[in-house]
Amino acid sequence: MLTERRGQRLPDWLDAVRQDDLPSLHTLAAGIDRDRDAVVAGLTLPWNSGIVEGHVNRIKMLKRQMLGRAGFALLRKRVLMS
């Protein structure tokens, strides 16, 4: 499902999980069911948020480097300059 973008297989997989005797997977299946449409879209569609996550990771790194040194104004300048 993950590597071949076959999100349509998810309902069958969830049914198989519910039939097994693995309580932790039952919890996972219940969580997936709460937002099934989004999970199927994530497993099917070619788009992802990788670029945004990369920018967030970079900003967090800059913030960690400045630990306790300055406030938001300096962080903003470093983000805009990098």
Side-chain angles (χ1 to χ4, degrees):
M1 264 189 303
L2 293 173
T3 59
E4 298 173 1
R5 298 193 195 281
R6 299 192 192 263
Q8 64 274 12
R9 292 182 181 175
L10 183 65
D12 296 334
W13 183 83
L14 291 172
D15 291 339
V17 165
R18 285 190 195 95
Q19 292 173 3
D20 286 340
D21 187 27
L22 299 168
S24 58
L25 282 181
H26 292 180
T27 305
L28 174 68
I32 290 173
D33 270 336
R34 278 181 276 191
D35 204 8
R36 184 185 284 207
D37 292 338
V39 175
V40 169
L43 291 171
T44 306
L45 300 174
W47 303 292
N48 64 53
S49 60
I51 293 174
V52 174
E53 292 297 329
H55 289 299
V56 169
N57 193 21
R58 181 176 54 86
I59 291 170
K60 286 182 178 182
M61 181 210 47
L62 290 171
K63 186 177 177 184
R64 282 188 209 105
Q65 287 176 344
M66 299 176 6
L67 182 66
R69 292 195 181 96
F72 180 74
L74 181 59
L75 175 63
R76 182 175 182 272
K77 283 183 181 179
R78 286 198 65 188
V79 167
L80 292 175
M81 298 298 285
S82 65

